[in-house]
């Protein structure tokens, strides 16, 4: 169930999406446990080694020729602070918020994670995803 805290975190992801330098689409992401923001990120033109690693889950015909442009989820996941891992945070309680809007109408657009980002989210053990869809907001719990 989407609650007010989810809407507030999506607003933060929306603000982060405005920082994207990717020409086709601007996406923003926020990772939080309750009201505590752990990390934020946006998609961009630069590459990211973590993106390169997980792109193998995207089933490209020639993955070695793909330029690994940074996705907003990978950006946020790669910026998680060291203490999350050093102190064995239970990220099953964390939610990743993913925001995308249409360029021309500024209405919600589908922001469900690609296979590469989904695999990264699962490996880091984040428990819930909240993302924009064409006509609103959806959520998904990760087992």
């Amino acid at each position: 169930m989407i609650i007010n805290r989810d809407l507030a975190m999506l607003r933060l992801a929306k603000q982060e999406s405005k920082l994207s330098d990717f020409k086709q689409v601007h996406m923003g992401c926020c990772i939080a446990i309750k009201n505590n923001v752990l990390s934020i990120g946006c998609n961009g033109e630069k590459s990211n080694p973590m993106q390169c690693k997980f792109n193998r889950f995207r089933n490209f015909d020639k993955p070695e020729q793909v330029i690994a442009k940074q996705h907003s989820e990978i950006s946020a996941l790669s910026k998680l602070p060291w203490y999350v891992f050093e102190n064995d945070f239970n990220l099953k309680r964390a939610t990743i918020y993913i925001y995308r809007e249409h360029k021309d109408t500024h209405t919600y657009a589908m922001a469900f994670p690609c296979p590469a980002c989904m695999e990264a989210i699962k490996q880091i053990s984040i428990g819930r995803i909240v993302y924009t869809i064409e006509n609103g907001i959806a959520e998904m719990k990760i087992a």
Side-chain angles (χ1 to χ4, degrees), residues 2-3 6-14 17-18 25-27 98-112 130-138:
I2 304 295
I3 60 175
D6 296 326
L7 299 175
M9 293 299 169
L10 275 174
R11 281 192 296 275
L12 181 59
K14 178 181 181 177
S17 75
K18 305 294 184 203
V25 64
H26 294 206
M27 293 182 70
I98 310 161
Y99 181 88
R100 177 182 176 190
E101 68 181 32
H102 291 287
K103 263 192 202 177
D104 30 343
T105 62
H106 300 290
T107 56
Y108 289 150
M110 177 57 79
F112 189 78
V130 174
Y131 56 97
T132 57
I133 57 175
E134 291 298 324
N135 296 316
I137 301 166

Side-chain angles (χ1 to χ4, degrees), residues 47-108:
S47 62
N48 181 315
M50 190 174 175
Q51 188 73 54
C52 293
K53 174 185 173 186
F54 284 100
N55 269 351
R56 72 177 190 266
F57 295 99
R58 294 178 68 193
N59 299 319
F60 291 116
D61 289 336
K62 296 181 179 178
E64 66 281 354
Q65 294 179 355
V66 174
I67 298 171
K69 303 288 185 180
Q70 181 169 258
H71 293 196
S72 63
E73 301 95 322
I74 297 294
S75 174
L77 290 168
S78 65
K79 293 178 189 172
L80 280 168
W82 62 270
Y83 60 79
V84 168
F85 302 104
E86 290 285 320
N87 296 313
D88 293 324
F89 267 50
N90 180 3
L91 290 176
K92 289 271 185 216
R93 300 176 320 153
T95 300
I96 187 166
Y97 299 90
I98 310 161
Y99 181 88
R100 177 182 176 190
E101 68 181 32
H102 291 287
K103 263 192 202 177
D104 30 343
T105 62
H106 300 290
T107 56
Y108 289 150

